Amino acid sequence: MIAGTTIWSALSVIFLLPSVIQAQAKIGASLAVRIRQAEPEERLPVMVFFADKGLSNREEVSRAIEERARQLSPRCMGRRAKMGLAATYDDLPVSAEYLARIEDLGGKRRQVLHWFNAASFEMTGSQIEACAVFPFVDRLEL
């Protein structure tokens, strides 16, 4: 049984190591230093930048942009028309599912910035590291 346990331990390291390395690469250098300096339960301010808006295909994106354009005020659309601008992907909100997943980790939401496709949270170092594993997280900064 010990040999079997050793093989499974080795296999788990081989398969989990790439995701751990990728997760560490998502954590900015200054945030990584701050995590090492922090007490284990100390909550740090973190900007979480998302990889996408949580939409799975072009049709969903197009529909969401059209819907968002209908929600913008006539005054806003008038200003945009003067500049030759329409509603864009950047106008779409940050995915509510993504925000909820981070809150489920224990992150306390502070602000959401839809044009940056990001949100700020207060999280402990372990919560930050767990958040970095999510495929929808692009990067985390201080």
Side-chain angles (χ1 to χ4, degrees):
M1 189 63 163
I2 291 175
T5 302
T6 304
I7 290 171
W8 284 114
S9 296
L11 287 174
S12 67
V13 167
I14 290 169
F15 289 110
L16 293 177
L17 191 57
S19 64
V20 170
I21 292 170
Q22 288 172 343
Q24 291 299 320
K26 293 180 181 181
I27 299 173
S30 59
L31 179 56
V33 169
R34 188 66 185 93
I35 291 170
R36 286 192 298 275
Q37 295 171 342
E39 296 294 322
E41 294 305 311
E42 183 180 349
R43 297 178 80 75
L44 305 172
V46 181
M47 282 298 296
V48 180
F49 293 86
F50 299 101
D52 56 53
K53 300 277 188 170
L55 303 169
S56 60
N57 59 51
R58 281 189 162 160
E59 282 182 18
E60 280 187 31
V61 171
S62 294
R63 278 195 304 265
I65 291 172
E66 288 171 12
E67 177 63 27
R68 183 64 183 137
R70 286 191 290 276
Q71 295 170 351
L72 296 174
S73 72
R75 185 173 175 214
C76 175
M77 292 307 289
R79 286 191 309 266
R80 286 173 177 238
K82 287 179 186 177
M83 298 176 59
L85 300 174
T88 68
Y89 184 79
D90 292 332
D91 291 308
L92 298 178
V94 171
S95 169
E97 180 184 342
Y98 295 172
L99 298 171
R101 297 274 304 273
I102 294 172
E103 289 172 330
D104 288 346
L105 286 177
K108 180 182 174 195
R109 186 185 337 171
R110 297 170 46 172
Q111 273 303 20
V112 178
L113 301 115
H114 70 266
W115 280 3
F116 293 103
N117 199 27
S120 73
F121 290 87
E122 290 178 4
M123 293 189 271
T124 65
S126 61
Q127 290 168 339
I128 293 166
E129 290 167 352
C131 180
V133 175
F134 288 140
F136 56 81
V137 171
D138 181 54
R139 69 185 193 280
L140 297 107
E141 300 287 341
L142 195 55

